[in-house]
Amino acid sequence: MEPSKRRLLSGIAAITAGAALIPVTQVHAQSQGARPAIGRGDPGKRYGMLIDLRRCVGCQACTVACTIENQPPLGQFRTTVSQYEVSDVAALEAPASLFMLPRLCNHCAEPACLDVCPTGATFQRDDGIVVVNNDWCVACGYCVQACPYDARFINHETHAADKCTFCAHRLEAGLLPACVESCVGEARIIGDLNDPKSQISRLLREHESALKVLKPEAQTQPRVFYLGMDEAFVSKVDGNPALRTLLTDDGKEIAHDH
């Protein structure tokens, strides 16, 4: 561990008992001036993603591609596809249907994770992509708890908050995010919301009345839009950090996160 990070960790441990007395926003503001400059993105762009659920077949190709590209620890994922079994309670004899819901960071216009970060490690680039500076993250988990979309986790290897970044490194190289490139149904579309001629802008205009976002009541203004999503899923999808434990065949714990 770098000396600077070790000192920061020991300093936070020393004030833990009185931390509740210090406003998080004050700590966050104090860190802004000292935060090193890292990739801020193109200020002329504002990335967003549209996911057409009518095309998603739940193959998890996006999950696999993201894992290969970003190499999160075993059992941890930046994106995945949740599968729900839906049945009509009024017709119990009718067969249930499967509903696919890809999940990832929503790169909100008003991210709930930013203001709770005590070190300023979580920040939003000028192009709207929310990222984490691992050198500043102390793995306190505040952002994990604040995210209403269960899109963050503490990386067991880096000991820092981790999440989808829209594959910012690929976008900067002129490539598509791994999940978009690998989607066999072409269900994921990413693009510049500020460009009226982009594919995503055109689709947002064409399907404006049918588009939905997850948990609009959280007032985070998500920039991941869903087409073909049932109203029942908009606010009822669990947003609390999930507890996951990965075990071997003989019951030995490999990984544990929340």
Side-chain angles (χ1 to χ4, degrees), residues 208-230:
E208 182 177 3
S209 61
L211 292 172
K212 293 181 177 65
V213 296
L214 290 177
K215 296 200 169 182
E217 68 277 8
Q219 299 183 346
T220 59
Q221 300 181 39
R223 288 301 177 260
V224 172
F225 307 91
Y226 292 90
L227 180 59
M229 182 166 65
D230 191 287

Side-chain angles (χ1 to χ4, degrees), residues 10-30:
S10 60
I12 286 180
I15 65 169
T16 299
L21 302 177
I22 304 174
V24 171
T25 52
Q26 177 181 336
V27 178
H28 179 69
Q30 290 172 347

Side-chain angles (χ1 to χ4, degrees), residues 1 5 8-9 12 117-119 121-122 132-145 152-156 158-162 258:
M1 184 183 298
K5 190 169 184 179
L8 186 57
L9 281 168
I12 286 180
C117 180
T119 65
T122 289
V132 179
N133 179 349
N134 285 355
D135 293 332
W136 279 78
C137 181
V138 295
C140 64
Y142 289 165
C143 61
V144 176
Q145 297 293 330
R152 286 174 167 257
F153 58 91
I154 300 300
N155 187 303
H156 299 314
T158 64
H159 303 291
D162 204 335
H258 47 129

Side-chain angles (χ1 to χ4, degrees), residues 50-71:
L50 184 148
I51 302 179
D52 189 344
L53 300 180
R54 303 170 304 177
R55 291 175 170 268
C56 178
V57 296
C59 66
Q60 301 288 355
C62 53
T63 304
V64 174
C66 175
T67 298
I68 294 173
E69 179 70 29
N70 297 294
Q71 295 293 300

Side-chain angles (χ1 to χ4, degrees), residues 120-236:
T122 289
F123 69 96
Q124 190 163 36
R125 301 183 353 155
D126 292 335
D127 56 12
I129 298 177
V130 178
V131 293
V132 179
N133 179 349
N134 285 355
D135 293 332
W136 279 78
C137 181
V138 295
C140 64
Y142 289 165
C143 61
V144 176
Q145 297 293 330
C147 176
Y149 308 106
D150 190 22
R152 286 174 167 257
F153 58 91
I154 300 300
N155 187 303
H156 299 314
E157 296 176 354
T158 64
H159 303 291
D162 204 335
K163 55 178 283 300
C164 158
T165 63
F166 274 169
C167 281
H169 60 289
R170 291 177 61 91
L171 290 173
E172 291 168 355
L175 303 173
L176 291 172
C179 64
V180 176
E181 188 173 77
S182 64
C183 182
V184 296
E186 298 184 351
R188 297 191 183 211
I189 296 95
I190 193 169
D192 181 9
L193 299 175
N194 289 342
D195 180 5
K197 297 181 179 179
S198 67
Q199 181 185 12
I200 189 170
S201 293
R202 177 176 57 80
L203 290 172
L204 290 178
R205 290 193 301 269
E206 290 179 0
H207 302 283
E208 182 177 3
S209 61
L211 292 172
K212 293 181 177 65
V213 296
L214 290 177
K215 296 200 169 182
E217 68 277 8
Q219 299 183 346
T220 59
Q221 300 181 39
R223 288 301 177 260
V224 172
F225 307 91
Y226 292 90
L227 180 59
M229 182 166 65
D230 191 287
E231 185 69 33
F233 288 89
V234 171
S235 298
K236 294 183 180 180

